[in-house]
Amino acid sequence: MNPLKSTGGFLIMGEEEKRELARLKRLASEVAAKIHDVVEETLWSDYKLLDPLSRELIEACEKYYAYKREHSL
């Protein structure tokens, strides 16, 4: 099943694919927000959280882009 629907020569992403892409983007944004909070509010006490959060953010972004590639979005 192709997640893209053809409409007069244009391809439109299906609702399910839009929701999943938005969910993956939201997950990455939530991790980015945690990093921002550490940097802005608790850097000197929580700086050691930056390494695992950075790894989590990279993984979340990679999942987002992998989904886009797999579904030709």
Side-chain angles (χ1 to χ4, degrees):
M1 180 170 116
N2 188 346
L4 302 175
K5 298 175 182 134
S6 179
T7 55
F10 294 97
L11 293 176
I12 299 176
M13 192 180 345
E15 287 302 313
E16 183 178 324
E17 289 76 22
K18 284 182 186 178
R19 281 192 300 273
E20 180 61 12
L21 202 57
R23 184 186 76 80
L24 292 169
K25 191 173 187 177
R26 179 183 49 78
L27 292 174
S29 294
E30 287 174 0
V31 178
K34 289 178 188 177
I35 292 171
H36 177 268
D37 290 346
V38 169
V39 170
E40 289 291 317
E41 299 169 10
T42 60
L43 179 62
W44 299 110
S45 60
D46 291 335
Y47 68 92
K48 289 185 179 180
L49 295 175
L50 293 175
D51 183 50
L53 285 172
S54 297
R55 293 174 193 273
E56 187 178 346
L57 179 57
I58 290 168
E59 184 178 320
C61 289
E62 287 173 347
K63 286 180 181 179
Y64 171 83
Y65 283 111
Y67 186 85
K68 282 185 75 169
R69 271 192 315 276
E70 290 168 9
H71 293 86
S72 302
L73 305 175

